[in-house]
Amino acid sequence: YGLQDCYADLRANVKDLYDTEIESLAAIGVSAMMHGYMAFNKKEEILVPFRTWRNTNTGKAAAELSELFNYNIPLRWSISHIYQAILDNEEHVKDIDFLTTLAGYIHWQITGQKVLGVGDASGMIPVDPETKTYNAEMVDKFNRLISTRGFEWTLLDILPKSLSAGENAGFLTPEGAKKLDVSG
């Protein structure tokens, strides 16, 4: 894991600079891509390979959503990725139980929480600055747009919860600790 390499480097730097080992941490932050597409089923299995923010096959979806929302929706946003998968009749879409970005995936893997900070959440679909969560009008328009497709989910069913700065986003689990540091 790249996470293990980063954490090992942090431990080595603390040891070199302060001649001490890390024994506990009050908080830790891990940064990753806030755009992209990682879709999982109910068994928490990834349904298609990770689609990064650099994936440019979402032009049709981004254009249609920009018109529908009357708001510029970039190709890299998760909403463009999922809608393009719908337009392309990709088989996996019906099985989506959770949709996230790389940032959300890493957070989920180390804390067990399916959440994103509001800044990262805004890389999935626009966030309402008043409610600090996904724009309800756009979510509703998207749900109506796909309502005839027969999916068992609506958009809010599958997106990570959006949290404001300072809200508790979870705690490192024992399994998550091992993903950071093999010693746990």
Side-chain angles (χ1 to χ4, degrees), residues 34-109:
M34 67 181 277
H35 302 295
Y37 183 83
M38 296 185 80
F40 297 87
N41 64 17
K42 286 183 183 352
K43 295 179 184 176
E44 300 183 343
E45 300 164 327
I46 194 159
L47 295 169
V48 293
F50 172 45
R51 296 174 184 174
T52 77
W53 65 274
R54 296 184 72 175
N55 185 334
T56 58
N57 78 325
T58 59
K60 182 173 175 38
E64 287 185 19
L65 292 173
S66 293
E67 185 175 327
L68 177 69
F69 298 157
N70 194 31
Y71 190 96
N72 181 46
I73 302 298
L75 278 65
R76 66 186 177 273
W77 285 8
S78 304
I79 194 71
S80 294
H81 286 279
I82 191 169
Y83 189 50
Q84 191 65 54
I86 291 168
L87 291 175
D88 292 344
N89 295 308
E90 292 188 34
E91 183 67 23
H92 78 275
V93 177
K94 68 178 177 18
D95 297 321
I96 296 174
D97 184 64
F98 180 51
L99 175 66
T100 194
T101 63
L102 184 59
Y105 174 75
I106 290 171
H107 186 84
W108 173 36
Q109 294 303 298

Side-chain angles (χ1 to χ4, degrees), residues 100-174:
T100 194
T101 63
L102 184 59
Y105 174 75
I106 290 171
H107 186 84
W108 173 36
Q109 294 303 298
I110 63 175
T111 68
Q113 300 299 307
K114 295 177 179 177
V115 300
L116 282 174
V118 67
D120 283 347
S122 70
M124 298 194 82
I125 184 172
V127 167
D128 182 327
E130 297 295 319
T131 65
K132 309 223 181 355
T133 190
Y134 305 107
N135 181 296
E137 182 181 342
M138 292 179 192
V139 167
D140 184 54
K141 284 181 178 182
F142 183 83
N143 285 334
R144 281 187 279 142
L145 178 66
I146 66 164
S147 65
T148 61
R149 301 286 184 141
F151 302 127
E152 294 182 14
W153 53 262
T154 61
L155 195 55
L156 291 182
D157 293 336
I158 63 173
L159 293 181
K161 182 179 178 185
S162 174
L163 298 176
S164 294
E167 284 189 78
N168 186 326
F171 297 95
L172 188 63
T173 63

